[in-house]
Amino acid sequence: MKMRLDRWLTTLCVDSRSRVKEIIRNGQVKVDGKTVTDPAFSCETETQRLVLRDSEIDGRVMRHVLLNKPAGLLTAARDPKQPTVMDLLPEVFGGIGCMPVGRLDKDTTGVLLLTCDGELNHRLLSPARHVDKVYRAVVEGKLTEKDVHAFADGLELSDFTALPARMTVLKADDCLSLAEVTVREGKFHQIKRMFAAVGHEVKELHRLSFGPLTLDNGPAEGMWRELTENETDMLYEAAGMRTK
Ligand code: URA
């Protein structure tokens, strides 16, 4: 990715933009072995070597964000008319190619991962990787054991047969029920369509987890945070891209 030197170092969290400019002007940064004193110097982040005060630093711009998606935002990099999840993040993330991993519907809330690692994004979405996604759904009508078995058998939808899914009924009244569902796929409107196939309309949908990622340590709804090192390791492991 082409990027100005000061932006590259800021993206790597070396320091604030203004301090980074100072550091560069003071001659403390080398790119491919040569001291660069111009903060606007154009770099190629994938291939160039970065040395700060005689120590080589990992220049890969790989940042991963956990967003607690509120209702009302599209899951898209951009949209000409409607607000998207990217509106909740600082601009730098869009600039380095951070993209949502899969989609949550506009009215769905909860765990949404965004990453600039295209391969990680692709692998996490592959059903072959068996990355579990857990949802909590409020649905119309009373869920029964028959519905639980139908989910476990793999529901026939109009264009595909869903893989067997675990559904647990947490509460079942005549009007509304509350259930938790674990799926490995991520097809369009999958959970809503699965419930519709057994005669229940989803009224509210919240994603509790995506693979190893949960909201147990925040962020609050509408907020974001970067993944911890441990979460990042677990995610790469889930994607089959890194083994401990
Ligand atoms: N399934 C749905 O129906 N909607 C979502 O947002 C996610 C999964």
Side-chain angles (χ1 to χ4, degrees), residues 100-126:
V101 178
R103 264 163 206 263
L104 290 180
D105 296 336
K106 189 172 170 184
D107 56 352
T108 302
T109 58
V111 174
L112 182 67
L113 169 69
L114 299 100
T115 179
C116 353
D117 188 335
E119 193 186 347
L120 177 70
N121 193 329
H122 176 73
R123 281 172 170 249
L124 286 171
L125 293 179
S126 159

Side-chain angles (χ1 to χ4, degrees), residues 12-28:
L12 296 171
C13 299
V14 164
D15 217 320
S16 66
R17 188 81 173 249
S18 55
R19 266 293 295 152
V20 156
K21 283 185 176 158
E22 249 177 72
I23 291 168
I24 297 168
R25 288 195 184 108
N26 290 342
Q28 296 179 61

Side-chain angles (χ1 to χ4, degrees), residues 103-105 108 135 187 189-193 205:
R103 264 163 206 263
L104 290 180
D105 296 336
T108 302
Y135 293 87
K187 299 253 167 56
H189 292 333
Q190 177 150 354
I191 300 288
K192 290 175 184 166
R193 293 171 65 197
L205 190 59

Side-chain angles (χ1 to χ4, degrees), residues 64-205:
H64 318 284
V65 167
L66 174 58
L67 176 73
N68 187 345
K69 182 189 174 296
L73 297 178
L74 292 184
T75 306
R78 67 188 72 82
D79 187 87
K81 293 204 182 98
Q82 299 189 59
T84 77
V85 291
M86 296 308 289
D87 295 331
L88 295 177
L89 303 182
E91 247 171 58
V92 65
F93 288 103
I96 58 173
C98 222
M99 300 282 285
V101 178
R103 264 163 206 263
L104 290 180
D105 296 336
K106 189 172 170 184
D107 56 352
T108 302
T109 58
V111 174
L112 182 67
L113 169 69
L114 299 100
T115 179
C116 353
D117 188 335
E119 193 186 347
L120 177 70
N121 193 329
H122 176 73
R123 281 172 170 249
L124 286 171
L125 293 179
S126 159
R129 294 251 51 103
H130 298 305
V131 176
D132 283 350
K133 294 117 194 151
V134 183
Y135 293 87
R136 188 164 282 189
V138 176
V139 304
E140 233 169 35
K142 189 167 192 163
L143 288 169
T144 63
E145 273 306 299
K146 198 166 153 230
D147 301 323
V148 172
H149 290 304
F151 272 60
D153 289 344
L155 286 160
E156 288 281 347
L157 302 180
S158 57
D159 52 344
F160 77 106
T161 305
L163 289 173
R166 190 168 62 243
M167 195 254 280
T168 311
V169 181
L170 303 174
K171 210 168 154 201
D173 292 333
D174 286 340
C175 293
L176 286 179
S177 301
L178 179 67
E180 234 167 73
V181 185
T182 305
V183 290
R184 289 179 169 172
E185 300 156 294
K187 299 253 167 56
F188 187 58
H189 292 333
Q190 177 150 354
I191 300 288
K192 290 175 184 166
R193 293 171 65 197
M194 287 166 82
F195 277 110
V198 291
H200 298 274
E201 189 190 333
V202 172
K203 305 304 285 177
E204 283 171 34
L205 190 59

